[in-house]
Amino acid sequence: MSLKPLSRPLTPEDAAHLLKRTAFGATDAQIRALTGRDAREVARELLAFDQSLAPGNPFRPAEAATPAAGIQLTRAAWLFELLYGPHPLRELLALTWSNHFVIGTDKVRNVPMLTEYLALLRRHAATTDFTRFTLEVAQSPAMLRYLDNDQNRRGRPNENFSRELLELFTTGIGH
């Protein structure tokens, strides 16, 4: 069953609901700015995000004194981006993808790898090419470390990476 596109201009209630679903709510000014506009046009604008980040993020993972502190600062920096960044929908989608293509920060424990992985999730947040996205995730140093690819040895490959890629991330068990 496909959904019929909204054919009327957005009401204030529509705009508030849309911003509640694509961000963390909205101010009255943001709601008024969308009221009366075409819903399809607004949706295209919400999905047309670039890779800009929130200015003035006070959390700097690269400056951490220890790997554990770097992980905490990475989490805090992402939370700041979720709340104050220019593209809350991109961050919500990246959060969704982080739950699909999951890695464990406690296992990766490398701030540059985590930062690059988060950038990858942001780049593909509203992807139309799942194959390319999956390939880039599979080549990501954070994912390779998380799935023990560094334990491969000649004649003794570690099957964790391939099994997880197929069973968890793409085809599912039994296919």
Side-chain angles (χ1 to χ4, degrees), residues 124-133:
H124 289 283
T127 191
T128 58
D129 189 349
F130 186 73
T131 302
R132 180 174 172 80
F133 184 20

Side-chain angles (χ1 to χ4, degrees), residues 4-23 25-28 30-40 42-43 46:
K4 184 178 174 186
L6 187 64
S7 58
R8 62 177 166 69
L10 293 174
T11 65
E13 293 78 19
D14 295 331
H17 180 74
L18 178 64
L19 291 169
K20 189 186 318 178
R21 299 296 295 224
T22 60
T27 64
D28 287 338
Q30 290 169 318
I31 293 168
R32 282 193 304 274
L34 296 184
T35 299
R37 294 192 53 205
D38 179 69
R40 289 168 290 203
V42 171
L46 287 172

